[in-house]
PDB file of all heavy atoms in Angstrom:
ATOM      1  N   PRO S  37      -8.727   6.892  -3.269  1.00 87.00           N
ATOM      2  CA  PRO S  37      -7.448   7.007  -2.494  1.00 87.00           C
ATOM      3  C   PRO S  37      -6.276   7.270  -3.435  1.00 87.00           C
ATOM      4  O   PRO S  37      -6.444   7.231  -4.648  1.00 87.00           O
ATOM      5  CB  PRO S  37      -7.327   5.577  -1.896  1.00 87.00           C
ATOM      6  CG  PRO S  37      -8.117   4.721  -2.762  1.00 87.00           C
ATOM      7  CD  PRO S  37      -9.195   5.528  -3.351  1.00 87.00           C
ATOM      8  N   ALA S  38      -5.212   7.665  -2.733  1.00 88.00           N
ATOM      9  CA  ALA S  38      -4.052   7.995  -3.577  1.00 88.00           C
ATOM     10  C   ALA S  38      -2.814   7.498  -2.833  1.00 88.00           C
ATOM     11  O   ALA S  38      -2.688   7.624  -1.617  1.00 88.00           O
ATOM     12  CB  ALA S  38      -3.923   9.432  -3.805  1.00 88.00           C
ATOM     13  N   ILE S  39      -1.785   7.071  -3.566  1.00 92.00           N
ATOM     14  CA  ILE S  39      -0.457   6.775  -3.061  1.00 92.00           C
ATOM     15  C   ILE S  39       0.335   7.964  -3.334  1.00 92.00           C
ATOM     16  O   ILE S  39       0.682   8.296  -4.445  1.00 92.00           O
ATOM     17  CB  ILE S  39       0.057   5.478  -3.689  1.00 92.00           C
ATOM     18  CG1 ILE S  39      -0.738   4.284  -3.268  1.00 92.00           C
ATOM     19  CG2 ILE S  39       1.563   5.254  -3.139  1.00 92.00           C
ATOM     20  CD1 ILE S  39      -0.491   2.981  -4.170  1.00 92.00           C
ATOM     21  N   ILE S  40       0.682   8.762  -2.266  1.00 91.00           N
ATOM     22  CA  ILE S  40       1.326  10.013  -2.423  1.00 91.00           C
ATOM     23  C   ILE S  40       2.830   9.895  -2.726  1.00 91.00           C
ATOM     24  O   ILE S  40       3.392  10.451  -3.586  1.00 91.00           O
ATOM     25  CB  ILE S  40       1.120  10.953  -1.190  1.00 91.00           C
ATOM     26  CG1 ILE S  40      -0.391  11.193  -1.024  1.00 91.00           C
ATOM     27  CG2 ILE S  40       1.888  12.238  -1.360  1.00 91.00           C
ATOM     28  CD1 ILE S  40      -0.734  11.693   0.330  1.00 91.00           C
ATOM     29  N   SER S  41       3.426   8.920  -2.009  1.00 94.00           N
ATOM     30  CA  SER S  41       4.889   8.629  -2.281  1.00 94.00           C
ATOM     31  C   SER S  41       5.161   7.254  -1.676  1.00 94.00           C
ATOM     32  O   SER S  41       4.413   6.742  -0.892  1.00 94.00           O
ATOM     33  CB  SER S  41       5.769   9.653  -1.533  1.00 94.00           C
ATOM     34  OG  SER S  41       5.625   9.591  -0.178  1.00 94.00           O
ATOM     35  N   GLN S  42       6.312   6.605  -2.138  1.00 96.00           N
ATOM     36  CA  GLN S  42       6.732   5.407  -1.627  1.00 96.00           C
ATOM     37  C   GLN S  42       8.236   5.436  -1.756  1.00 96.00           C
ATOM     38  O   GLN S  42       8.803   6.016  -2.723  1.00 96.00           O
ATOM     39  CB  GLN S  42       6.155   4.183  -2.371  1.00 96.00           C
ATOM     40  CG  GLN S  42       6.408   4.134  -3.900  1.00 96.00           C
ATOM     41  CD  GLN S  42       5.733   2.944  -4.574  1.00 96.00           C
ATOM     42  OE1 GLN S  42       4.852   2.362  -3.990  1.00 96.00           O
ATOM     43  NE2 GLN S  42       6.034   2.750  -5.755  1.00 96.00           N
ATOM     44  N   SER S  43       8.949   4.768  -0.810  1.00 97.00           N
ATOM     45  CA  SER S  43      10.394   4.727  -0.816  1.00 97.00           C
ATOM     46  C   SER S  43      10.852   3.430  -0.075  1.00 97.00           C
ATOM     47  O   SER S  43      10.057   2.679   0.581  1.00 97.00           O
ATOM     48  CB  SER S  43      10.983   5.884  -0.149  1.00 97.00           C
ATOM     49  OG  SER S  43      10.490   5.945   1.207  1.00 97.00           O
ATOM     50  N   HIS S  44      12.223   3.238  -0.171  1.00 97.00           N
ATOM     51  CA  HIS S  44      12.813   2.148   0.563  1.00 97.00           C
ATOM     52  C   HIS S  44      14.039   2.587   1.185  1.00 97.00           C
ATOM     53  O   HIS S  44      14.564   3.659   0.778  1.00 97.00           O
ATOM     54  CB  HIS S  44      13.184   0.937  -0.429  1.00 97.00           C
ATOM     55  CG  HIS S  44      14.086   1.324  -1.527  1.00 97.00           C
ATOM     56  ND1 HIS S  44      13.600   1.880  -2.702  1.00 97.00           N
ATOM     57  CD2 HIS S  44      15.453   1.386  -1.630  1.00 97.00           C
ATOM     58  CE1 HIS S  44      14.724   2.162  -3.472  1.00 97.00           C
ATOM     59  NE2 HIS S  44      15.769   1.819  -2.847  1.00 97.00           N
ATOM     60  N   SER S  45      14.430   1.965   2.361  1.00 97.00           N
ATOM     61  CA  SER S  45      15.578   2.383   3.154  1.00 97.00           C
ATOM     62  C   SER S  45      16.100   1.119   3.902  1.00 97.00           C
ATOM     63  O   SER S  45      15.492   0.084   3.882  1.00 97.00           O
ATOM     64  CB  SER S  45      15.148   3.498   4.066  1.00 97.00           C
ATOM     65  OG  SER S  45      14.280   3.101   4.946  1.00 97.00           O
ATOM     66  N   SER S  46      17.152   1.353   4.658  1.00 97.00           N
ATOM     67  CA  SER S  46      17.687   0.330   5.585  1.00 97.00           C
ATOM     68  C   SER S  46      17.933  -0.980   4.847  1.00 97.00           C
ATOM     69  O   SER S  46      17.658  -2.036   5.395  1.00 97.00           O
ATOM     70  CB  SER S  46      16.779   0.196   6.780  1.00 97.00           C
ATOM     71  OG  SER S  46      16.510   1.362   7.423  1.00 97.00           O
ATOM     72  N   ILE S  47      18.549  -0.892   3.685  1.00 97.00           N
ATOM     73  CA  ILE S  47      18.829  -2.104   2.908  1.00 97.00           C
ATOM     74  C   ILE S  47      19.944  -2.841   3.582  1.00 97.00           C
ATOM     75  O   ILE S  47      20.983  -2.277   3.940  1.00 97.00           O
ATOM     76  CB  ILE S  47      19.130  -1.749   1.445  1.00 97.00           C
ATOM     77  CG1 ILE S  47      18.065  -0.986   0.794  1.00 97.00           C
ATOM     78  CG2 ILE S  47      19.574  -3.001   0.723  1.00 97.00           C
ATOM     79  CD1 ILE S  47      18.398  -0.431  -0.592  1.00 97.00           C
ATOM     80  N   THR S  48      19.847  -4.166   3.770  1.00 97.00           N
ATOM     81  CA  THR S  48      20.856  -5.031   4.229  1.00 97.00           C
ATOM     82  C   THR S  48      21.030  -6.204   3.294  1.00 97.00           C
ATOM     83  O   THR S  48      20.441  -6.253   2.229  1.00 97.00           O
ATOM     84  CB  THR S  48      20.459  -5.586   5.690  1.00 97.00           C
ATOM     85  OG1 THR S  48      19.324  -6.437   5.534  1.00 97.00           O
ATOM     86  CG2 THR S  48      20.235  -4.464   6.644  1.00 97.00           C
ATOM     87  N   ASN S  49      21.812  -7.198   3.718  1.00 97.00           N
ATOM     88  CA  ASN S  49      22.026  -8.361   2.870  1.00 97.00           C
ATOM     89  C   ASN S  49      20.690  -9.118   2.666  1.00 97.00           C
ATOM     90  O   ASN S  49      20.461  -9.721   1.569  1.00 97.00           O
ATOM     91  CB  ASN S  49      23.000  -9.376   3.564  1.00 97.00           C
ATOM     92  CG  ASN S  49      24.417  -8.877   3.508  1.00 97.00           C
ATOM     93  OD1 ASN S  49      24.743  -7.874   2.885  1.00 97.00           O
ATOM     94  ND2 ASN S  49      25.305  -9.621   4.153  1.00 97.00           N
ATOM     95  N   THR S  50      19.822  -9.140   3.646  1.00 97.00           N
ATOM     96  CA  THR S  50      18.640  -9.992   3.609  1.00 97.00           C
ATOM     97  C   THR S  50      17.363  -9.186   3.890  1.00 97.00           C
ATOM     98  O   THR S  50      16.309  -9.799   4.096  1.00 97.00           O
ATOM     99  CB  THR S  50      18.734 -11.133   4.535  1.00 97.00           C
ATOM    100  OG1 THR S  50      18.914 -10.600   5.895  1.00 97.00           O
ATOM    101  CG2 THR S  50      19.882 -12.027   4.195  1.00 97.00           C
ATOM    102  N   GLY S  51      17.349  -7.866   3.958  1.00 97.00           N
ATOM    103  CA  GLY S  51      16.191  -7.148   4.310  1.00 97.00           C
ATOM    104  C   GLY S  51      16.105  -5.671   3.796  1.00 97.00           C
ATOM    105  O   GLY S  51      17.135  -5.193   3.202  1.00 97.00           O
ATOM    106  N   VAL S  52      14.943  -5.072   3.930  1.00 98.00           N
ATOM    107  CA  VAL S  52      14.713  -3.656   3.489  1.00 98.00           C
ATOM    108  C   VAL S  52      13.527  -3.121   4.198  1.00 98.00           C
ATOM    109  O   VAL S  52      12.703  -3.955   4.749  1.00 98.00           O
ATOM    110  CB  VAL S  52      14.461  -3.632   1.969  1.00 98.00           C
ATOM    111  CG1 VAL S  52      13.131  -4.313   1.593  1.00 98.00           C
ATOM    112  CG2 VAL S  52      14.489  -2.225   1.446  1.00 98.00           C
ATOM    113  N   ARG S  53      13.351  -1.862   4.306  1.00 98.00           N
ATOM    114  CA  ARG S  53      12.195  -1.226   4.954  1.00 98.00           C
ATOM    115  C   ARG S  53      11.501  -0.358   3.825  1.00 98.00           C
ATOM    116  O   ARG S  53      12.132   0.446   3.176  1.00 98.00           O
ATOM    117  CB  ARG S  53      12.582  -0.258   6.054  1.00 98.00           C
ATOM    118  CG  ARG S  53      11.386   0.416   6.738  1.00 98.00           C
ATOM    119  CD  ARG S  53      11.850   1.222   7.914  1.00 98.00           C
ATOM    120  NE  ARG S  53      10.868   1.944   8.545  1.00 98.00           N
ATOM    121  CZ  ARG S  53       9.942   1.411   9.407  1.00 98.00           C
ATOM    122  NH1 ARG S  53      10.003   0.139   9.750  1.00 98.00           N
ATOM    123  NH2 ARG S  53       9.022   2.206   9.960  1.00 98.00           N
ATOM    124  N   PHE S  54      10.175  -0.607   3.674  1.00 98.00           N
ATOM    125  CA  PHE S  54       9.371   0.109   2.728  1.00 98.00           C
ATOM    126  C   PHE S  54       8.576   1.164   3.490  1.00 98.00           C
ATOM    127  O   PHE S  54       8.136   0.845   4.591  1.00 98.00           O
ATOM    128  CB  PHE S  54       8.401  -0.840   1.955  1.00 98.00           C
ATOM    129  CG  PHE S  54       9.011  -1.843   1.093  1.00 98.00           C
ATOM    130  CD1 PHE S  54       8.474  -3.139   1.055  1.00 98.00           C
ATOM    131  CD2 PHE S  54      10.147  -1.559   0.338  1.00 98.00           C
ATOM    132  CE1 PHE S  54       9.053  -4.114   0.251  1.00 98.00           C
ATOM    133  CE2 PHE S  54      10.661  -2.531  -0.574  1.00 98.00           C
ATOM    134  CZ  PHE S  54      10.114  -3.796  -0.561  1.00 98.00           C
ATOM    135  N   SER S  55       8.381   2.282   2.869  1.00 97.00           N
ATOM    136  CA  SER S  55       7.552   3.320   3.520  1.00 97.00           C
ATOM    137  C   SER S  55       6.741   3.982   2.366  1.00 97.00           C
ATOM    138  O   SER S  55       7.179   4.153   1.326  1.00 97.00           O
ATOM    139  CB  SER S  55       8.464   4.424   4.164  1.00 97.00           C
ATOM    140  OG  SER S  55       9.125   3.896   5.256  1.00 97.00           O
ATOM    141  N   SER S  56       5.457   4.441   2.721  1.00 96.00           N
ATOM    142  CA  SER S  56       4.679   5.055   1.796  1.00 96.00           C
ATOM    143  C   SER S  56       3.757   6.115   2.588  1.00 96.00           C
ATOM    144  O   SER S  56       3.481   5.957   3.756  1.00 96.00           O
ATOM    145  CB  SER S  56       3.670   4.093   1.081  1.00 96.00           C
ATOM    146  OG  SER S  56       4.348   3.170   0.403  1.00 96.00           O
ATOM    147  N   SER S  57       3.419   7.098   1.857  1.00 93.00           N
ATOM    148  CA  SER S  57       2.482   8.086   2.291  1.00 93.00           C
ATOM    149  C   SER S  57       1.210   7.856   1.461  1.00 93.00           C
ATOM    150  O   SER S  57       1.306   7.948   0.218  1.00 93.00           O
ATOM    151  CB  SER S  57       2.931   9.569   2.199  1.00 93.00           C
ATOM    152  OG  SER S  57       1.904  10.457   2.563  1.00 93.00           O
ATOM    153  N   VAL S  58       0.088   7.575   2.167  1.00 91.00           N
ATOM    154  CA  VAL S  58      -1.117   7.285   1.430  1.00 91.00           C
ATOM    155  C   VAL S  58      -2.261   8.113   1.924  1.00 91.00           C
ATOM    156  O   VAL S  58      -2.319   8.490   3.098  1.00 91.00           O
ATOM    157  CB  VAL S  58      -1.500   5.699   1.470  1.00 91.00           C
ATOM    158  CG1 VAL S  58      -0.424   4.897   0.845  1.00 91.00           C
ATOM    159  CG2 VAL S  58      -1.740   5.280   2.897  1.00 91.00           C
TER     160      VAL S  58
END
Side-chain angles (χ1 to χ4, degrees):
I39 299 168
I40 299 165
S41 65
Q42 60 183 9
S43 62
H44 59 274
S45 63
S46 305
I47 301 170
T48 66
N49 287 356
T50 59
V52 67
R53 179 176 179 80
F54 297 138
S55 295
S56 299
S57 176
V58 298

